[in-house]
């Protein structure tokens, strides 16, 4: 089975790339634009002819599209760049899916929902409240509108954590730096929005299990057109900080809970609770989600001394 992973230098893409590399029977090509290193193939996905040529040459069975502008505040500051990456590129890959007959998995977000009526099923109406969510929804609409051979699948996930080159690579890992900063600096921390932090290693393992369930030689069997993958554990960012402080054995008086809804022109609107229902995985496909416990993971990582300065390995 031949698989392309876009954004393979990122937190999620690298986890999926490494997961498939561990197993026989897969030929995996990882793509990256800004940090390809020596192992990944450098490609600008906005270069349509180059993207077409690469896919025509490799002829994948699956393309798992992880590359995205994932930071809501950055998306607001540079809307044209965010729209190009989050909306235009999925459209390009969707068209190529129909041309070459591969299955495209488009990694989307819980932020396509407004956070007012959780949990959200795959057929609930999206209503993004910030620009980031709107661009990801545009990408969803683009691939859903494409007809022809191949399959195009929306795969929504919440906020992610897990192994990363630096803690600032994820909105969850970065909170370790806040907790460990015992310099006297104070931090106001969100205690309004409920999040469901999900480990990238679990998503990667799920994709491998999904590949075993839908092998390339049986690609005529339709894969569900929309997936939700999420941990079931709810936390605010402030509550996550308390967990880190407990594990690290440090104080947290410098972290001030903020229960107020974000307001003001400078604030990027964030939904209150976008919990994703995983019923398609559990009820339709009869598969386990396989999401590990948040505190258990970090106790294992921190207990092994794998948190050093700004880096989580």
């Amino acid at each position: 089975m031949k698989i392309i992973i876009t954004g393979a230098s990122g937190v999620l893409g690298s986890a999926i790339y490494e997961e498939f590399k561990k197993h026989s029977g897969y030929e995996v090509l990882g793509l990256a634009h800004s940090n390809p290193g020596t192992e990944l193939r450098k490609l600008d996905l906005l270069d349509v002819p180059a993207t077409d040529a690469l896919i025509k040459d490799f002829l994948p069975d699956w393309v798992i599209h992880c590359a995205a502008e994932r930071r809501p505040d950055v998306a607001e500051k540079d809307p044209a760049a965010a729209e190009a990456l989050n909306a235009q590129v999925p459209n390009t890959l969707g068209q190529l899916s129909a041309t070459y007959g591969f299955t495209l998995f488009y990694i989307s977000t819980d932020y396509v929902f407004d956070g007012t009526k959780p949990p959200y099923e795959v057929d609930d109406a999206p209503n993004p409240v910030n620009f980031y969510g709107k661009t990801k929804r545009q990408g969803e609409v683009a691939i859903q509108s494409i007809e022809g051979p191949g399959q195009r699948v929306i795969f929504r996930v919440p906020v992610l954590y897990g192994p990363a080159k630096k803690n600032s690579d994820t909105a969850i890992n970065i909170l370790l730096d806040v907790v460990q900063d015992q310099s006297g600096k104070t931090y106001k921390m969100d205690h309004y929005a409920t999040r469901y932090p999900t480990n990238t290693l679990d998503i990667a393992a799920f994709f491998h299990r999904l590949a075993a369930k839908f092998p390339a030689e049986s690609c005529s069997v339709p894969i569900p057109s929309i997936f939700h993958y999420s941990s079931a554990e709810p936390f605010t960012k402030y509550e996550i900080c308390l967990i880190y402080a407990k594990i690290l054995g440090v104080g947290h008086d410098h972290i001030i809970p903020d229960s107020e809804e974000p307001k003001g022109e400078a604030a990027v609107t964030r939904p209150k609770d976008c919990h994703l229902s995983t019923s398609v995985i559990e009820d339709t496909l009869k598969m386990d989600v396989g999401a590990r416990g948040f505190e258990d993971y970090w106790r294992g990582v921190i207990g092994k001394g794998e948190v050093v300065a700004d880096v989580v390995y």
Side-chain angles (χ1 to χ4, degrees):
M1 188 173 186
K2 302 177 73 175
I3 301 174
I4 289 177
I5 315 293
T6 75
S9 63
V11 175
L12 179 58
S14 61
I16 297 173
Y17 177 73
E18 294 297 334
E19 176 68 24
F20 278 106
K21 278 181 54 184
K22 292 190 305 186
H23 302 279
S24 62
Y26 300 98
E27 183 179 351
V28 188
L29 175 62
L31 305 180
H33 182 219
S34 56
N35 297 295
T38 59
E39 187 173 350
L40 306 177
R41 182 84 62 87
K42 184 176 178 63
L43 178 69
D44 181 359
L45 292 168
L46 294 171
D47 186 337
V48 177
T51 303
D52 188 331
L54 182 143
I55 288 178
K56 183 178 181 180
D57 179 64
F58 189 75
L59 292 178
D61 298 296
W62 281 14
V63 172
I64 305 175
H65 178 45
C66 301
E69 177 48 72
R70 58 173 178 77
R71 300 161 295 180
D73 54 339
V74 174
E76 295 279 348
K77 292 175 182 176
D78 193 350
E83 192 167 41
L85 190 54
N86 291 353
Q88 294 176 24
V89 169
N91 182 61
T92 296
L93 293 175
Q95 298 288 351
L96 293 173
S97 167
T99 299
Y100 297 108
F102 61 82
T103 295
L104 170 66
F105 290 90
Y106 170 52
I107 304 298
S108 191
T109 173
D110 57 347
Y111 272 18
V112 299
F113 297 111
D114 59 19
T116 62
K117 296 179 180 179
Y120 289 94
E121 301 291 344
V122 297
D123 55 356
D124 283 335
N127 182 35
V129 297
N130 60 27
F131 183 73
Y132 163 70
K134 290 175 182 177
T135 63
K136 296 298 286 185
R137 178 57 185 161
Q138 287 174 347
E140 292 184 356
V141 172
I143 70 166
Q144 285 178 318
S145 67
I146 296 168
E147 298 180 353
Q151 296 185 62
R152 287 147 292 280
V153 179
I154 294 167
F155 195 96
R156 296 177 181 139
V157 298
V159 66
L160 303 177
Y161 72 96
K165 294 177 182 177
K166 54 185 184 297
N167 286 343
S168 58
D169 285 343
T170 93
I172 301 301
N173 290 30
I174 189 63
L175 299 179
L176 274 167
D177 295 347
V178 173
V179 173
Q180 294 180 101
D181 182 359
Q182 301 287 314
S183 66
K185 180 180 178 179
T186 60
Y187 296 85
K188 183 181 287 188
M189 190 58 59
D190 180 24
H191 195 39
Y192 165 79
T194 299
R195 314 298 298 275
Y196 298 82
T198 298
N199 198 300
T200 56
L201 299 175
D202 297 332
I203 298 173
F206 176 78
F207 267 110
H208 176 248
R209 289 188 285 129
L210 194 66
K213 191 175 183 71
F214 293 92
E217 59 268 20
S218 303
C219 62
S220 59
V221 178
I223 298 172
S225 60
I226 304 177
F227 281 85
H228 287 172
Y229 189 99
S230 176
S231 169
E233 292 183 298
F235 303 102
T236 65
K237 284 189 174 182
Y238 177 70
E239 290 168 339
I240 290 170
C241 287
L242 297 187
I243 290 174
Y244 285 154
K246 179 173 64 174
I247 296 172
L248 290 164
V250 298
H252 55 79
D253 290 345
H254 62 297
I255 305 172
I256 313 302
D258 180 7
S259 301
E260 295 296 319
E261 180 178 359
K263 293 184 177 68
E265 293 182 2
V268 176
T269 302
R270 296 177 187 270
K272 182 171 177 56
D273 187 343
C274 290
H275 187 204
L276 299 173
S277 166
T278 54
S279 62
V280 167
I281 293 174
E282 296 175 284
D283 300 335
T284 304
L285 295 182
K286 307 300 183 185
M287 296 175 68
D288 291 331
V289 174
R292 70 192 68 195
F294 182 82
E295 184 170 342
D296 289 344
Y297 171 79
W298 285 111
R299 283 196 178 278
V301 170
I302 293 171
K304 293 177 182 176
E306 295 177 352
V307 178
V308 182
D310 184 50
V311 182
V312 176
Y313 296 98

